[in-house]
């Protein structure tokens, strides 16, 4: 049986300092260069408001995202079948893991775990480490710094927005795990929600998978930014899928944990891109019924319209 490999437990705020410090170094060099070059009369230095969204302070963006997410983004996402369908399905599957006599959620992860041995187990452990928050944030910080130094603006934009989405994934993953308190597959009462850990044991934090949420949040950003290069999106989503499957192979998560994390993570990645592009989320998105009097036929006309 695969050896459990736990995710990184470093605070997300500390992990986020990597790209911030790198960005600050680049910004400092740019400011020093601007100070030594005379500006033409009437030309002002670049202000924060004039910068692209992705070049603004990372922490500020994460904080300013919250009203947007709760007032516009989540209400609209809840009306999208590709979002609420898999999410509700994963929750329904998760609720049977402990109460059912032969739970599919539990038997599936134990079957995958029992068949993962030797090199497959080592590969799963490596993928899990690659998908740790610290590893991904370090990679994004490095790619952002290199992209700015080599003037590859699109890569810098994707790296910055992916870091924002990854931080959001860390926040929501931790909040949901603390709220649901679901036990991991290795526990005797595997899959139980709202459980309390025995003294000296790991706190229940299986639902959802933080690795899946973070990996698919980053993948969604790169897929959107490089829409004209489909291979980028396929590669990013493929790697995110492998990282998510590694959690099943190591017996750390249920399938429902992974599906829920992937769905929420993709949504957070798309939200970061929507903010960057200044896209307005329609407040009236979703289905709406209407009724009117049909004088010609002498009856009530009922209609239904839906905006996506």
């Amino acid at each position: 049986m695969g050896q459990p490999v736990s995710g990184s437990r470093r605070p997300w705020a500390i992990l986020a300092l990597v790209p911030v410090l790198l960005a600050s170094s680049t910004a400092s060099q740019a400011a020093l260069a601007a100070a030594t070059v005379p500006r033409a009369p009437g030309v002002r230095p670049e202000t924060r408001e004039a910068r692209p969204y992705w070049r603004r302070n990372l922490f500020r963006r994460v904080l300013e995202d919250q009203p947007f997410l709760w007032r516009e983004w989540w209400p609209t996402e809840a009306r999208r079948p590709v979002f609420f369908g898999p999410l509700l399905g994963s929750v329904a599957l998760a609720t049977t893991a402990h109460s059912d006599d032969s739970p599919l959620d539990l038997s599936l992860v134990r079957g995958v775990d029992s068949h993962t041995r030797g090199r497959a187990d080592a590969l799963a452990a490596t993928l899990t480490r690659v998908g740790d928050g610290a590893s991904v944030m370090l990679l994004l910080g490095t790619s952002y710094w290199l992209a700015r130094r080599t003037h590859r603006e699109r890569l810098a934009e994707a790296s910055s927005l992916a870091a924002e989405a990854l931080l959001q994934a860390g926040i929501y993953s931790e909040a949901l795990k603390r709220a649901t308190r679901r036990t991991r597959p290795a526990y005797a009462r595997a899959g139980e929600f709202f459980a309390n850990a025995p003294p000296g044991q790991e706190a229940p934090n299986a639902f959802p998978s933080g690795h899946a949420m973070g990996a698919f949040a980053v993948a969604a950003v790169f897929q959107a930014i490089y829409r004209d290069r489909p291979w980028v999106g396929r590669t990013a989503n493929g790697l995110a899928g492998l990282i998510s499957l590694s959690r099943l192979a190591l017996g750390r998560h249920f399938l429902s944990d992974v599906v829920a994390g992937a769905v929420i993570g993709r949504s957070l990645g798309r939200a970061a891109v929507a903010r960057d592009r200044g896209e307005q989320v329609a407040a009236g998105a979703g289905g709406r019924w209407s009724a009117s009097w049909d004088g010609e036929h002498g009856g009530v006309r009922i209609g239904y319209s839906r905006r996506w």
Side-chain angles (χ1 to χ4, degrees):
M1 192 165 180
Q3 295 298 321
V5 177
S6 58
S8 173
R9 297 188 174 277
R10 300 180 183 178
W12 286 96
I14 295 177
L15 302 181
L17 289 176
V18 175
V20 174
L21 292 175
L22 294 174
S24 299
S25 174
T26 304
S28 299
Q29 294 178 7
L32 181 60
T36 59
V37 177
R39 289 190 296 269
V43 177
R44 297 181 179 180
E46 184 182 46
T47 62
R48 189 183 75 85
E49 290 73 14
R51 294 177 183 174
Y53 173 84
W54 56 270
R55 285 187 57 190
R56 299 176 189 175
N57 183 275
L58 180 62
F59 293 115
R60 183 188 295 272
R61 278 155 41 200
V62 170
L63 291 176
E64 292 177 348
D65 279 347
Q66 303 313 313
F68 166 76
L69 289 172
W70 287 100
R71 294 174 186 174
E72 299 182 52
W73 189 257
W74 294 130
T76 303
E77 287 288 270
R79 299 183 179 99
R80 298 179 67 246
V82 293
F83 176 80
F84 73 76
L87 189 59
L88 289 180
S90 65
V91 172
L93 182 62
T95 57
T96 65
H98 177 65
S99 58
D100 199 339
D101 291 334
S102 56
L104 175 63
D105 210 12
L106 180 59
S107 60
L108 178 63
V109 66
R110 287 184 172 173
V112 173
D113 186 20
S114 63
H115 286 83
T116 306
R117 300 182 181 279
R119 293 183 178 179
D121 195 34
L123 177 61
T126 300
L127 287 168
T128 279
R129 295 189 183 95
V130 170
D132 282 346
S135 302
V136 179
M137 190 62 78
L138 180 60
L139 179 62
L140 292 174
T142 303
S143 65
Y144 178 83
W145 180 75
L146 290 175
R148 292 301 307 278
R149 290 293 299 269
T150 56
H151 307 289
R152 301 176 65 181
E153 294 294 287
R154 184 153 67 157
L155 177 59
E157 178 186 12
S159 301
S160 176
L161 294 177
E164 178 183 351
L166 183 63
L167 280 178
Q168 296 285 17
I171 293 172
Y172 281 90
S173 171
E174 188 65 23
L176 289 171
K177 285 181 177 182
R178 290 179 179 273
T180 57
R181 303 198 311 276
R182 188 188 192 191
T183 55
R184 293 185 182 269
Y187 282 71
R189 298 175 64 85
E192 184 179 12
F193 282 87
F194 311 113
N196 294 315
Q201 293 191 17
E202 180 185 16
N205 57 356
F207 188 88
S209 168
H211 280 73
M213 191 181 295
F216 276 98
V218 172
V221 170
F222 276 87
Q223 181 180 12
I225 298 299
Y226 289 91
R227 189 175 297 275
D228 59 327
R229 299 181 183 179
W231 67 269
V232 175
R234 297 192 189 103
T235 302
N237 283 294
L239 181 58
L242 290 175
I243 290 172
S244 301
L245 289 176
S246 73
R247 306 303 284 163
L248 292 176
L250 294 172
R252 298 292 293 167
H253 281 289
F254 298 93
L255 176 63
S256 55
D257 302 333
V258 170
V259 172
V263 172
I264 299 173
R266 281 195 60 82
S267 182
L268 289 171
R270 291 175 50 249
V273 176
R275 289 276 286 167
D276 177 55
R277 296 175 177 175
E279 297 177 0
Q280 298 295 322
V281 180
R288 189 168 118 184
W289 292 93
S290 62
S292 60
W293 176 258
D294 187 350
E296 182 180 353
H297 299 89
V300 177
R301 177 182 296 172
I302 299 177
Y304 177 80
S305 61
R306 188 173 187 86
R307 296 179 61 189
W308 300 95

